[in-house]
Amino acid sequence: MPDYHFKLMLGTHLTVAELAEAAALLSRAYSRWQTNPNNLAPVETDTAPEVYARTMRKGSHEVILYYEAGSLCGVFVHSLSPQYDQYPLRKLSYLGVFPAERGYGALQNAFNRYAAFVEEQGEDVIIASDLDQATLNNLLEHAGFREVIDRNEIYFLLSQLLRRQVFSFQKVRGDFVIDQIITLDGKAVRRSKKLLRLQTTPYDFYALYCQQQLKRIQRSIPPRNRAILQEALRAADQGIYFISSFDGTITLENEERGGVNVLRAMAGSAVEQILPEIMDPEQGLIYLLPEAEKELCARGEKIVLRPGFYDFLFFCLKILGSFFVASAAPACQVRGALQRPLAPTLPLRYIDLVETICAPEIQMVPGQTRKISDGTVRTAYSLSGPYVEIRDGMYQVRKDLMVRTILSHRRDNPAPVIFLCSTMRDAQTVLLLHAEAHRRSMPVLVFDFGTALTRWAGEELLGSEAEPDADAYFNIVSVRDFYQIPTMLELLGLKIEASIDLNVAG
Amino acid sequence: MEIATRKKDNAVMVSVTGRIDMVTAPAFEKSLSDEISAGVKRIILNFSALEYISSIGLRVILAASKKLKEQQGEFVFVGLRGPVNEVFKISGFHSLYKMFESEEAALQEM
């Protein structure tokens, strides 16, 4: 009969005594690590038992208690992913082990038993372990954990499945270092980590995911076009141009999914009723409440960004790509949304990773007001800037002009142009890119976060019998999220390491 | 963007103020190219007054590095801070080039 056993439950189901005992053990473990001479970068965090008690009681944590001869000797805290009912994957977030017997052998037994217990549950486990925790890393590796070194796989596991922010990821002297900002009890700290995985199930979710992305590419892009793209991606170090729409592409517009309807945010919840009164397209005016420009900027800060956009900007920088925003939304609103910091403790904002924002400015028209039927008196604002023009008597924002301006800086760069969009509002831009792709033999890849534009392009734009070669350089793929794009680009032939020739300097 | 260059010892100091982006990158590129064409082998890029650098700026640096390497030359950087420093870290440039706090320290090393 084994002289050890495990108890597994949601943290909220621990009894008061179990919680106190587990919290005390974790506190002891992390306090000792803080003063361990092997800890080369100790961080002042609060390691009091109350911190761990609060953490365990979060609804997203499961707790495994490890007993030897009836005494608590170990605590393993697992985080549940938002999709934990679809993927049997857990993240080992906190642990402390003090076996009854002293010595490395006893520690190794405890970790091996934990790995066997996880296998009995039919789950896989990952841990983002501090680089300088050599003893722990050895124990984990002897118990069957293996390091994950594929960049996209790390993003898939940590960002996509577990919604953790990976700040940076570098291959340094052969070791992959994840620079992650973690928060403990409200305090943000930056750690260098590596990702270890215990694979006990026969399911390689990442391989399945990649297979599906490859099928999507093969079904959307003909072989001849794929060959052209592959060749163009070899020149990635000359700078891939990523041009992105804003509303609905970078932002989430679906209010049911937590998005923000900008028009309603700007003009009030009854905007549909008063829209004809506040819009004057012939004069290029919109009537807004006073201080609208400041208000738009403030609203911009509340805009919900599409998941994965954060990681995508890092990916663009990693491959030395240039990211442009082309939007019909007012520039102050776009800037407002992108001026937020990327992460706590980081002196970097989203806008710092954006090359240029092409968007119309708005300017107050002094002295011009209108009384609206909702009882408000609103001030006229005009759209202005190089991308606003009058056409057929109406003011229009010319997104195609924005794209032309951006492309004019590209010169004879052979790397592809990638356009990100989500609705039929970008049909004109897609038409332009299709024409330019053919005219300049410029490889273009459009990623559509919706499906309507892809369907329209397939039915109306591609496959012309009159010009069968017109499509060779133009491609459009429907995607669901930003995470798919780096994976697809690598499956198409993009080599991330080749983007920065590590043998260049010294 | 403003670029000031001066020679000291066996190196050229290039101090850049402002922003290196799509608009100013060609001028930055020309400045580096002129020095490399003149046979300069040691270039100290002082970024202490640089507020922003985009990936276009990084590409210029990388392309110039390749040309400089052909002449057995090297770039080193001085004064990286704030967003510019973080961009260098994220892009991996920190592991490609030597970084110094001051021009004196860079000159001593070179």
Side-chain angles (χ1 to χ4, degrees):
Chain A
M1 191 77 171
D3 58 355
Y4 67 91
H5 70 277
F6 290 91
K7 276 174 99 171
L8 163 63
M9 69 200 84
L10 275 181
T12 47
H13 294 171
L14 290 166
T15 64
V16 170
E18 284 170 340
L19 182 67
E21 203 180 1
L25 189 148
L26 286 174
S27 172
R28 190 171 144 214
Y30 284 94
S31 300
R32 278 172 71 161
W33 175 241
Q34 272 197 326
T35 54
N36 189 317
N38 292 327
N39 185 351
L40 302 174
V43 178
E44 266 196 51
T45 53
D46 186 353
T47 56
E50 294 74 37
V51 169
Y52 300 100
R54 275 197 295 275
T55 299
M56 282 187 282
R57 296 280 288 173
K58 284 186 187 167
S60 56
H61 283 136
E62 287 175 338
V63 178
I64 298 174
L65 304 175
Y66 168 64
Y67 295 87
E68 289 179 355
S71 298
L72 183 68
C73 291
V75 178
F76 301 85
V77 180
H78 284 180
S79 294
L80 297 171
S81 70
Q83 296 153 312
Y84 73 91
D85 54 343
Q86 293 175 41
Y87 297 95
L89 176 71
R90 302 287 186 266
K91 181 175 182 290
L92 177 52
S93 293
Y94 303 95
L95 68 106
V97 181
F98 295 96
E101 274 182 40
R102 294 178 71 88
Y104 189 84
L107 267 175
Q108 191 62 72
N109 274 342
F111 276 86
N112 291 349
R113 288 166 182 170
Y114 161 74
F117 179 73
V118 164
E119 187 172 3
E120 282 171 25
Q121 309 311 308
E123 285 167 1
D124 297 335
V125 174
I126 61 167
I127 174 171
S129 181
D130 286 354
L131 273 191
D132 49 2
Q133 288 210 331
T135 304
L136 171 63
N137 293 337
N138 280 336
L139 288 164
L140 290 167
E141 282 168 18
H142 276 116
F145 281 77
R146 296 289 172 265
E147 192 177 355
V148 182
I149 59 172
D150 181 282
R151 176 197 307 276
N152 281 335
E153 189 171 5
I154 289 176
Y155 277 120
F156 175 75
L157 292 169
L158 272 181
S159 296
Q160 233 169 315
L161 292 191
L162 290 158
R163 301 282 162 89
R164 302 301 164 109
Q165 280 185 328
V166 176
F167 162 55
S168 178
F169 169 56
Q170 297 185 53
K171 189 175 179 184
V172 180
R173 295 183 306 277
D175 294 322
F176 283 74
V177 177
I178 299 166
D179 186 355
Q180 195 174 23
I181 293 171
I182 62 166
T183 50
L184 180 64
D185 209 33
K187 182 168 178 177
V189 296
R190 200 162 166 179
R191 306 295 297 180
S192 290
K193 293 177 171 288
K194 59 180 181 177
L195 191 67
L196 298 169
R197 176 175 56 199
L198 178 67
Q199 180 86 40
T200 77
T201 70
Y203 313 114
D204 185 339
F205 301 114
Y206 179 64
L208 280 171
Y209 173 79
C210 284
Q211 253 178 30
Q212 295 308 308
Q213 304 320 303
L214 185 59
K215 282 186 189 169
R216 176 66 68 101
I217 290 166
Q218 287 167 340
R219 288 167 193 174
S220 306
I221 305 176
R224 177 181 63 164
N225 293 39
R226 283 205 301 276
I228 290 172
L229 271 173
Q230 188 173 34
E231 188 59 36
L233 287 168
R234 284 200 188 102
D237 59 344
Q238 299 202 37
I240 296 176
Y241 271 35
F242 294 91
I243 305 172
S244 178
S245 282
F246 185 69
D247 287 330
T249 302
I250 291 173
T251 72
L252 275 185
E253 286 190 313
N254 186 323
E255 286 174 309
E256 284 168 20
R257 286 201 201 153
V260 172
N261 182 306
V262 171
L263 191 57
R264 202 165 299 147
M266 268 169 56
S269 57
V271 61
E272 285 86 3
Q273 281 121 44
I274 59 171
L275 201 57
E277 295 175 69
I278 64 169
M279 299 284 283
D280 186 349
E282 286 173 23
Q283 300 296 322
L285 298 175
I286 179 165
Y287 287 84
L288 301 172
L289 292 168
E291 301 235 303
E293 198 169 343
K294 264 193 219 163
E295 179 71 14
L296 276 172
C297 197
R299 294 273 178 202
E301 290 164 16
K302 293 185 170 53
I303 280 173
V304 176
L305 301 179
R306 187 181 283 275
F309 178 57
Y310 167 97
D311 303 284
F312 189 73
L313 281 181
F314 280 111
F315 161 76
C316 290
L317 181 59
K318 278 269 181 230
I319 63 169
L320 301 187
S322 296
F323 189 89
F324 303 86
V325 176
S327 175
C332 54
Q333 186 182 287
V334 178
R335 281 193 292 265
L338 298 180
Q339 267 164 4
R340 67 189 73 179
L342 280 160
T345 79
L346 212 59
L348 211 58
R349 304 161 301 167
Y350 282 80
I351 204 167
D352 293 321
L353 300 187
V354 175
E355 181 67 53
T356 296
I357 295 171
C358 298
E361 300 290 342
I362 62 163
Q363 273 178 323
M364 190 176 74
V365 181
Q368 193 156 345
T369 60
R370 189 182 273 186
K371 192 162 179 203
I372 308 295
S373 59
D374 65 355
T376 57
V377 174
R378 300 188 182 219
T379 306
Y381 282 81
S382 67
L383 290 172
S384 64
Y387 310 114
V388 180
E389 65 171 35
I390 300 177
R391 193 182 265 192
D392 301 327
M394 308 278 267
Y395 270 78
Q396 291 189 2
V397 175
R398 293 280 308 277
K399 239 170 158 176
D400 56 328
L401 268 183
M402 295 175 192
V403 172
R404 276 193 201 280
T405 304
I406 291 166
L407 291 181
S408 69
H409 289 274
R410 201 173 153 272
R411 295 185 278 184
D412 52 359
N413 180 347
V417 170
I418 293 176
F419 182 58
L420 311 174
C421 55
S422 58
T423 68
M424 285 297 293
R425 292 191 294 243
D426 280 313
Q428 286 300 317
T429 309
V430 168
L431 263 174
L432 165 71
L433 285 167
H434 180 260
E436 288 298 296
H438 180 46
R439 188 176 71 82
R440 301 201 213 184
S441 299
M442 175 180 79
V444 169
L445 178 50
V446 177
F447 285 108
D448 173 17
F449 284 96
T451 50
L453 199 56
T454 307
R455 215 165 33 239
W456 167 81
E459 288 165 8
E460 305 290 334
L461 194 61
L462 301 174
S464 159
E465 285 176 9
E467 288 203 83
D469 288 333
D471 306 334
Y473 287 84
F474 178 86
N475 309 278
I476 182 163
V477 180
S478 186
V479 291
R480 203 182 48 254
D481 57 48
F482 276 107
Y483 297 113
Q484 290 173 274
I485 299 173
T487 305
M488 284 188 180
L489 288 176
E490 288 200 56
L491 288 168
L492 278 165
L494 175 68
K495 298 270 182 284
I496 301 277
E497 298 298 333
S499 297
I500 299 179
D501 182 353
L502 292 174
N503 293 319
V504 161
Chain B
M1 180 189 71
E2 283 172 18
I3 301 176
T5 58
R6 69 182 201 284
K7 289 185 172 39
K8 183 149 185 197
D9 297 344
N10 58 351
V12 167
M13 323 278 210
V14 178
S15 300
V16 187
T17 305
R19 297 169 58 94
I20 303 176
D21 57 24
M22 187 170 68
V23 173
T24 57
F28 177 57
E29 185 178 18
K30 184 171 185 314
S31 169
L32 293 181
S33 182
D34 287 347
E35 297 300 334
I36 295 169
S37 299
V40 172
K41 290 202 166 93
R42 288 177 183 75
I43 299 181
I44 298 177
L45 283 166
N46 189 330
F47 279 1
S48 52
L50 187 66
E51 297 159 11
Y52 169 86
I53 185 166
S54 72
S55 51
I56 288 180
L58 296 179
R59 291 200 297 271
V60 165
I61 291 170
L62 199 65
S65 290
K66 288 180 182 173
K67 284 191 200 149
L68 198 53
K69 195 184 181 199
E70 285 165 15
Q71 292 173 192
Q72 281 80 53
E74 64 172 333
F75 277 123
V76 300
F77 289 85
V78 165
L80 261 63
R81 57 185 178 76
V84 175
N85 193 32
E86 293 302 329
V87 163
F88 265 61
K89 280 185 191 168
I90 295 164
S91 61
F93 271 43
H94 253 265
S95 58
L96 293 182
Y97 300 100
K98 292 180 191 163
M99 311 279 165
F100 297 94
E101 289 297 314
S102 67
E103 287 181 349
E104 290 69 34
L107 278 169
Q108 216 167 357
E109 176 77 14
M110 289 173 111

